[in-house]
Amino acid sequence: MNIQDLHNLFLKCKSVSIDTRKIEKDSMFFAIKGENFDANTFASQAIELGALFVVIDNAAYAIDDRTILVENSLETLQELAKYHRAYLKLPIIALTGSNGKTTTKELINVVLSQKFKTKATVGNLNNHIGVPLTLLSFTKDTEIGIVEMGANHKKEIAFLCEIAQPDFGYITNFGKAHLEGFGGVEGVIIGKSEMYQYLAKNNKIAFVNLEDPIQIEKSAGIESFTFGVNNAQANLKINSIQANPFVVIGYDNFSVESHLIGLYNANNINAAVAMGAYFKVEDKAVKQAIENYIPENNRSQLLKKGSNEIILDAYNANPSSMAVAITNFLQLENSNKVMILGDMFELGDESLQEHKQIVDSLSDQNQSVCYLIGKYFYETKVAGDQLQFFETFDAFAEFLKTIHFKENTILIKGSRGMALERTLEFIN
């Protein structure tokens, strides 16, 4: 079956699914192999649960004309997504970067949805499977598509751009994330900049933060819409940025008082406001969209438990995001500060060095008690009244049973695998 015929069948379906546990009636199910399973074995179950068609790549699991045999189910999903994107011909904004992708994507979506029918990546479905699923969720009613792209190796962003074919691109930043896969910070810059290369090659438009010299350098020669602080050359001029703890930003014609915590969220907001300006969303609507956005899913959430204020930023962490979170936390005017920090993953040979740099930076401050959890932090253990180390979360949990937090401001941050949101159970 050629891709056009498959697309005609897809248009008869309400959605696409790759998981029978979440399958929807009248969907198209793609049987994609994983490391520990073969989804072809679920073909008949998908039909029973209401799928209209099932795409398989193992003839042994064919049922009837509702099963479509292809050479490779994953590659077919990607090819179908690329065809569907061309079929819709809608403008697409793609974004990537080391930190802040998902928050920025959500902010862009709430801003542009004030004027357009938008659709954006759900959650962090931003890889070689998630991007195709996002594209296939767009319909003829979608006026602007917003696609988040994640990567932990070179050539991944280039591959995702070839599928999504974005008209606009934005890179949040270049930081110390996925160093193991990229081979260091220089590899991160090369890998993320693949988006700029796509935009340049196809005469598309980049949104560029003029506060970031790497963005300026790597986007040279590309048509750009820019933003910057007190920068006369910027398309969107930013007059002031404050955070104590919420980010407040002043522009020429209006200001926004967000529910986002930390100066590191300022550029996430600025990017969304810049896109609102480019697409001519009214200032009043942009302001309303940003001010009504409430972060969730453990991303820069401000919580209250008992007499304590908690900044929960435990969705993910890398050396860049950890450093700015600590810097922002220490500049808060609140007293009785406590930091609960967990290991940062996917740093490869640089793991101990990066964890040691964080510990060294904490050793020089006396504003906050610091609890550091995980084997990497534990291996960099040093003596000090302000620092306490725990090799595992279980060890930290036992310690938490012996203390009581009262009238503290608490930062909780660590990689997703640390699941530091579990700390909330011990704070009351």
Side-chain angles (χ1 to χ4, degrees):
M1 179 178 290
N2 64 38
I3 198 66
Q4 182 176 356
D5 290 338
L6 181 62
H7 187 253
N8 288 335
L9 294 180
F10 160 74
L11 293 177
K12 298 178 181 179
C13 301
K14 292 183 178 178
S15 62
V16 169
S17 175
I18 59 169
D19 187 342
T20 53
R21 294 169 298 182
K22 302 174 183 177
I23 201 162
E24 296 181 353
K25 192 176 186 306
D26 296 332
S27 64
M28 177 174 279
F29 177 79
F30 280 79
I32 297 175
K33 297 184 183 73
E35 289 185 10
N36 303 310
F37 66 90
D38 180 359
N40 286 286
T41 61
F42 300 112
S44 61
Q45 182 183 10
I47 293 291
E48 291 169 7
L49 291 171
L52 278 184
F53 303 101
V54 175
V55 178
I56 60 173
D57 52 18
N58 186 333
Y61 296 96
I63 302 167
D64 51 33
D65 57 4
R66 292 174 295 177
T67 50
I68 302 157
L69 180 64
V70 299
E71 188 171 333
N72 183 297
S73 294
L74 174 57
E75 291 178 3
T76 301
L77 175 71
Q78 294 163 343
E79 187 181 354
L80 179 64
K82 184 175 182 179
Y83 186 93
H84 184 59
R85 187 267 177 274
Y87 165 81
L88 290 177
K89 298 182 177 65
L90 78 165
I92 285 182
I93 301 166
L95 68 154
T96 189
S98 298
N99 309 118
K101 292 186 296 296
T102 300
T103 298
T104 304
K105 175 256 302 180
E106 296 293 336
L107 290 167
I108 294 168
N109 192 29
V110 296
V111 166
L112 296 186
S113 66
Q114 300 295 308
K115 180 178 179 181
F116 304 95
K117 293 178 181 177
T118 62
K119 200 145 195 184
T121 299
V122 175
N124 63 337
L125 285 173
N126 60 17
N127 64 3
H128 63 296
I129 298 175
V131 167
L133 291 175
T134 297
L135 294 170
L136 290 169
S137 73
F138 299 162
T139 69
K140 282 289 189 183
D141 292 330
T142 309
E143 294 178 324
I144 296 179
I146 304 158
V147 181
E148 179 183 334
M149 296 180 178
N152 54 24
H153 291 83
K154 297 173 189 174
K155 303 299 182 185
E156 285 185 273
I157 296 300
F159 177 72
L160 295 176
C161 282
E162 288 300 327
I163 295 174
Q165 301 171 35
D167 302 283
F168 306 89
Y170 175 61
I171 301 176
T172 60
N173 49 43
F174 304 88
K176 295 179 178 180
H178 304 295
L179 296 182
E180 187 173 21
F182 280 112
V185 175
E186 284 304 314
V188 172
I189 295 172
I190 292 169
K192 300 298 183 182
S193 294
E194 290 164 9
M195 179 173 289
Y196 287 145
Q197 293 166 17
Y198 176 89
L199 298 174
K201 178 183 175 182
N202 293 278
N203 298 314
K204 303 301 184 181
I205 298 169
F207 290 94
V208 177
N209 175 11
L210 295 182
E211 303 303 304
D212 185 342
I214 303 176
Q215 288 191 42
I216 295 172
E217 176 192 349
K218 297 298 181 181
S219 65
I222 304 172
E223 184 180 351
S224 302
F225 190 92
T226 61
F227 59 90
V229 179
N230 296 319
N231 190 320
Q233 305 302 315
N235 296 110
L236 174 72
K237 298 173 183 63
I238 300 150
N239 300 323
S240 63
I241 300 175
Q242 300 175 4
N244 194 42
F246 297 115
V247 180
V248 179
I249 304 178
Y251 304 96
D252 276 354
N253 301 319
F254 66 103
S255 63
V256 296
E257 299 181 11
S258 77
H259 292 280
L260 288 160
I261 294 169
L263 288 171
Y264 52 92
N265 270 310
N267 284 328
N268 302 337
I269 297 170
N270 290 331
V273 174
M275 293 188 203
Y278 179 87
F279 287 100
K280 296 180 170 39
V281 181
E282 291 184 359
D283 292 345
K284 180 180 178 181
V286 172
K287 176 181 173 70
Q288 179 179 332
I290 298 292
E291 294 187 342
N292 288 342
Y293 174 75
I294 308 294
E296 53 186 23
N297 296 330
N298 303 331
R299 288 185 172 92
S300 298
Q301 289 179 263
L302 185 65
L303 308 175
K304 189 89 172 174
K305 289 209 74 178
S307 61
N308 302 289
E309 276 197 340
I310 301 167
I311 300 172
L312 181 61
D313 195 6
Y315 184 82
N316 216 337
N318 57 55
S320 301
S321 66
M322 183 73 81
V324 294
I326 291 170
T327 299
N328 180 77
F329 185 69
L330 291 178
Q331 64 87 35
L332 296 180
E333 297 173 359
N334 312 54
S335 57
N336 300 323
K337 297 191 184 87
V338 174
M339 282 188 262
I340 299 172
L341 309 177
D343 274 354
M344 304 170 290
F345 297 152
E346 294 187 63
L347 300 180
D349 294 339
E350 299 184 45
S351 288
L352 286 182
Q353 176 186 343
E354 294 294 344
H355 284 81
K356 185 177 185 303
Q357 286 184 11
I358 296 294
V359 171
D360 289 346
S361 71
L362 294 171
S363 300
D364 296 333
Q365 62 83 33
N366 58 6
Q367 301 171 57
S368 174
V369 174
C370 307
Y371 302 114
L372 299 117
I373 303 114
K375 66 176 184 178
Y376 293 119
F377 272 131
Y378 196 77
E379 288 187 40
T380 63
K381 185 177 180 180
V382 296
D385 294 337
Q386 297 292 97
L387 308 182
Q388 295 191 47
F389 296 80
F390 302 87
E391 190 168 10
T392 65
F393 181 83
D394 288 342
F396 180 55
E398 287 301 312
F399 168 76
L400 287 175
K401 294 176 184 177
T402 68
I403 63 171
H404 178 66
F405 292 111
K406 184 178 180 181
E407 297 180 352
N408 292 118
T409 302
I410 304 170
L411 170 66
I412 302 176
K413 186 166 183 63
S415 280
R416 180 85 300 271
M418 293 299 298
L420 286 188
E421 64 274 11
R422 293 177 288 174
T423 303
L424 297 176
E425 301 172 19
F426 301 91
I427 301 174
N428 50 46

